[in-house]
Amino acid sequence: TLANNEVTHDTTARRFTVATDLALTKSAPAGPLLPGATLDYTLLVTNIGPLTSVGAQVVDVLPAGVNFVSATGCTYAAGTVRCAIGSLAAGASRTFTLRTTLASPFTGTSPLVNSATLDAPGDTNPANNTDDATTIVTVPPGGVNNIPTLSEWGLIALTMLMGLAALRHVGLGRR
């Protein structure tokens, strides 16, 4: 019978509070970058100590004009990247690279400032848990950065075709 098929598990989504100091350093290219360019953010988490950290995460809300592409060890939802740090011994570091692209046309502000924050329960020094990276974005006049053009030979061929069309038109008018 199936009457005794019952299992009970105690689970929790609670993260452990650890009295240690984690520090976050964020970096990105200074620019200038054009709309559509790849923009990689580097997040470096360092455990200053004295204990091993467990359960911390980096939270990065991407600013307007930045599109998420990928980040190993991280998740992305609704404009926010979250990177689980896992167990990090005192003196150790963990690096995350967020690959993004600039929107084209670019809809954000320049300079582009992106902030990331450590969410570390029990952190003894929250003053070093947030860092910014600033990138200059150059938006061409009118917001257009890729105007298709013809090469020198393309212009010569176009001019010849237009000349032939004009001669044909003149020739048809004389009949």
Side-chain angles (χ1 to χ4, degrees):
T1 68
L2 299 176
N4 65 351
N5 289 347
E6 187 175 311
V7 176
T8 303
H9 288 284
D10 291 330
T11 61
T12 181
R14 180 176 53 108
R15 293 179 294 143
F16 296 104
T17 300
V18 179
T20 195
D21 181 19
L22 296 181
L24 175 66
T25 304
K26 182 172 189 163
S27 61
L33 296 178
L34 292 172
T38 298
L39 174 57
D40 288 341
Y41 291 105
T42 302
L43 305 169
L44 174 66
V45 180
T46 303
N47 185 347
I48 298 170
L51 304 173
T52 297
S53 172
V54 179
Q57 66 177 342
V58 179
V59 179
D60 190 338
V61 178
L62 297 178
V66 176
N67 301 316
F68 178 79
V69 175
S70 65
T72 302
C74 304
T75 61
Y76 174 77
T80 301
V81 180
R82 294 180 188 278
C83 304
I85 297 165
S87 179
L88 189 62
S93 296
R94 182 145 304 127
T95 302
F96 299 97
T97 301
L98 281 57
R99 165 115 337 152
T100 65
T101 57
L102 296 174
S104 183
F106 184 68
T107 56
T109 60
S110 185
L112 180 65
V113 179
N114 185 1
S115 298
T117 302
L118 269 172
D119 176 14
D123 193 307
T124 58
N125 181 13
N128 61 5
N129 289 2
T130 299
D131 200 16
D132 301 333
T134 302
T135 302
I136 303 297
V137 179
T138 303
V139 179
V144 179
N145 63 324
N146 291 323
I147 300 172
T149 60
L150 292 174
S151 68
E152 179 181 338
W153 287 107
L155 288 173
I156 291 170
L158 181 62
T159 303
M160 291 175 66
L161 285 172
M162 290 177 66
L164 288 172
L167 285 175
R168 183 167 185 232
H169 180 68
V170 170
L172 290 176
R174 294 185 180 175
R175 289 186 188 179

